[in-house]
Amino acid sequence: MVWPGQWVADRLGVRLTGDARLPELLGLALRRNPRRAHLLVSTVLGKHVPQRPDVIRRAGLELGARVGELLGPAADAVVLGYAETATGLGHCVADGLGSARYLHSTRRAVPGMTPVGGFEEEHSHATSHLLLPSDPGLLTGAGPLVLVDDELSTGRTVRNTIAALHAGAPRERYVVAALVDVRDAADRAELAAFAAELGARVDVVALATGEVALPDDVLERGSALVSEQERAHRAPSPSGDAPAPPVPGRGGTEDATAPRVELDWPAGLPDGGRHGFTPAHRELLEAALPDLARQLATALGGPAEDREPAPANGDGAQPHRILLLGTEELMYTPLRLAEELQHRLPQAEIRFSTTTRSPVVPIGHPGYAIRSRLTFPAHDGSEGERYAYNIADPDTRFDAIVTLVDDTADTPRLHAPGGLLTTLAAHTAKVLLAVIPSYRPRPRPEPLRGPAFSSYDPEDVGWLLQDLSRLTLEAPTEEREEAIQSGGAHYAESLPMEYQPSERYQALYREALDASATRVAQAVGTVTETVLAERSRRPVLVSLARAGTPVGILMRRWARHAHGLDLPHYAVSIVRGRGIDTAALRWLAGHHDPADVVFVDGWTGKGAITRELAQALRGTPFDPRPAVLADPGHCVETYGTRDDFLIPSACLNSTVSGLISRTVLRPDLVGPDDFHGAKFYRELAGADVSRSFLETVTARFPDVHEEVTLAVKKLAAADRTPTWSGWAAVERISEEYGIGDTNLVKPGVGETTRVLLRRVPWKILARRGAGTELGHIRLLAEQRGVPVAEVDGLPYNCVGLIHPRYTRGATGADGQAVRDR
């Protein structure tokens, strides 16, 4: 058998050296391209050369297995395939890795989708690649990123890709996987130097390696040869671009709209990896393939059921040579259908290839990789010519061609005279069309804003939450406590009854606000100036709903007051034991530079949420260090003060937090792509003091400039390393009082207030001499019949102890019950 690269090798002086397997995987062709005269044509890719689907898939799985051997079983890898040639190959590599998530680049802009990145493929005829994941966080993890292409010829595209992605989301390891690696020594050294400069490991895996030796004048010789062949092929011929003779039973120029094969495509299954393909999608496809292949087989005249014999020869007989033709980037799902069809029709000769936008010179010679070319207009809304290769060879004519397109490409141009379908009709007896629904990611939810959601002004905060106001989620405090501590529910699955403060308590709140507004204003100014000096000059404030939200609004107001800055501010949900809202993180990553995001909270107690935040953000590009108004627990390094004092917003629930409830996370209400939920208590508007709290503190801003300047200078020179002294104190108190669970110990004024408002308190520890700052604590304790014990040596002004009545199932670190061990 003649090697399908010999014709080019003889005339251009191109030589392949290296692994003996290279000629098995590659042929050679010519193309009109000022950067590269030759084209390496893969025989196992399913692009230019029709090939058995099992051969194509086996090559991709083998490459994926080699990557898996390199990375090991524990690697949480993401696979990125290059459009358009390696979209199917990348999928197969991800399959070979087992549970890898997959994305391929695309040259198709999708309305409503904002690219999270892009890069250039300099030697290509179409250089620009877009990255359009429906999950913007897909490419921001810390695990290895595997980049898949059919060939690695210079490594320039790989370097461009890694540089672009690494700038936004650095990671420690990259793997480049290709069917063939034909870089020369200089290119290999350049990639190694690039990796060293980047500070990351870059490995290369290939099925075969070698080099392509080119003469110095290859571009000139190639250009002349291309011109010569194009002149020769302007004359009509059964190969090349000229129309083939009509097929018996078909008119070669008829306007033949191909019969459609109606596929029962599963809802929610992407047509490919343009917007991401997960292990769950892979399972959905595997389950659907047998039925989809049965539908194709029936349309081709094959048996409707597995045990039926194929129809006899004659009218309606099953074709013998069948081509499944994918279109451009749509490679993987058609390939899998072709493979499944081969299992269903074992007597048929099934081949698979795809159309392409890559122009290649066709030459009807057995030693040349591209024997024929069909040309037709683009039919997916873009412009230009498209091509299908090695379909019009008279010696290898197909009895039937099944064309698979996504519905975006099912346009009048596809069906028009001279379009793909009528062009194919001149070269086969039967053309069928199967249309796969284009995967359209759900529109990303947008932030909720007042007055539709919350009593705050719209510019104060955007809530990355969904509105659950229509639902009844509240439960009596004791009933809720019992459900949590008995293990029957997570605390975030329900809401506490909103505390309705007495007139006496409201008066106490107003007194506390008047007494501490200046202190709060100074802490707000201090933490905001520290963030601007040390974190970002244009930070994106993201408060942890809901205690952090009034603080985030005040920080935003300080930045505008002191510097004229209009900072973005959002509120997100974080749940102990379940982490931060990942849908909100994806939204933030899609709209802002994660490096600018600063998470904001009201205060620290023992630091449980600080630890939760660090755990939740591990492996993401977000900075896990929160900025807080008060850090009595010594848990953070960015704060306004470390004093444990009364922050008036801690005295109340929704009525000082924009009338927004605590956040809710329940699987029947919040899906994987949904924001966590919350309620807007519009009915409490008469008791709302959210705006007055903000206005009272903001009015003190002009009075504290000097104090803020001094405090910021002092903090800049101080050692602010977290000591976690608060956590140690909580452990000591838990042991001293025989509680045995630190989650039942809530230190600090803010946390103690929460215990009295939301939980079943057991007793309150008050630092002896704390005085009037604990007035509201004492009043709440009196109203609920909870004893207040004055103690010495307490590192906080007060500590709330949740009733250990249900110790056998008390709330644990994951928010669920901690049973006897």
Side-chain angles (χ1 to χ4, degrees), residues 43 53 126 241 245 326 360 405 451 560 563 598 611 629 649 655 683 694 753 803:
T43 60
D241 292 316
V360 187
V405 303
R560 185 173 55 195
H563 303 283
V598 177
R611 293 189 177 193
L629 192 68
S649 59
T655 53
E683 65 274 17
L694 298 175
T753 303
H803 206 302

Side-chain angles (χ1 to χ4, degrees), residues 216-236:
D216 293 339
D217 61 347
V218 68
L219 290 178
E220 292 81 1
R221 291 168 66 176
S223 178
L225 194 55
V226 166
S227 298
E228 174 188 329
Q229 293 301 316
E230 287 182 340
R231 285 194 300 271
H233 282 284
R234 288 191 186 119

